[in-house]
Amino acid sequence: MSEHFKPSEFKSKDGKPSPWPEVVDPGLYYLLEEIRADFGKPIYINSGYRSPEHNKKVGGAPNSFHVKGQAADIRPRHGKDFETELRRLKIIANRRCKGGVGFYPSFVHVDLGPERRWNGK
């Protein structure tokens, strides 16, 4: 499905099955490959598909694109340059993603929904 990302990275943390054969929308794999190519280093998936139950448990938005298999929360490798690398990742995601991009202190949310930008807690 993707050169650098495996379906297992996107599975709901509660083990419930996704509506997609490869866990998430193929367009999300494509977007993440573009972001990774620009970033030039591995990026890590904090959260991909979420079952409705898991999404509610973690306080996700009721109409979250995670539940639709069309969103991922991504981050660079943890290390001494984490904050600098996260800023770079935010810039790249903002440029590459035509859908939603949320900027958080420890990750970036990207999704295949309509274009919008926000800062989260």
Side-chain angles (χ1 to χ4, degrees):
M1 192 78 223
S2 172
E3 182 179 352
H4 297 100
F5 301 98
K6 296 176 178 52
S8 60
E9 295 177 84
F10 296 90
K11 288 184 177 179
S12 184
K13 304 288 190 243
D14 64 0
K16 300 244 170 92
S18 163
W20 294 93
E22 293 293 333
V23 185
V24 294
D25 187 317
L28 186 60
Y29 287 105
Y30 182 78
L31 171 62
L32 294 174
E33 286 292 349
E34 286 184 331
I35 292 170
R36 188 193 187 286
D38 284 1
F39 191 60
K41 298 178 182 180
I43 56 176
Y44 300 88
I45 310 301
N46 284 350
S47 181
Y49 170 70
R50 292 182 194 152
S51 70
E53 298 84 4
H54 182 66
N55 188 62
K56 185 175 182 178
K57 182 179 176 182
V58 300
N63 294 322
S64 173
F65 283 89
H66 285 282
V67 175
K68 298 174 184 177
Q70 297 180 323
D73 296 338
I74 59 175
R75 65 168 176 80
R77 185 176 80 83
H78 288 296
K80 64 180 175 75
D81 295 329
F82 181 79
E83 289 182 15
T84 300
E85 294 293 292
L86 182 62
R87 281 193 295 274
R88 278 189 59 233
L89 189 58
K90 288 177 178 181
I91 291 167
I92 293 165
N94 189 49
R95 186 178 70 239
R96 280 289 184 178
C97 184
K98 305 300 183 217
V101 181
F103 307 105
Y104 293 83
S106 61
F107 66 92
V108 181
H109 168 97
V110 294
D111 69 50
L112 303 180
E115 185 172 350
R116 63 213 188 287
R117 302 294 185 264
W118 69 92
N119 290 308
K121 297 176 186 176

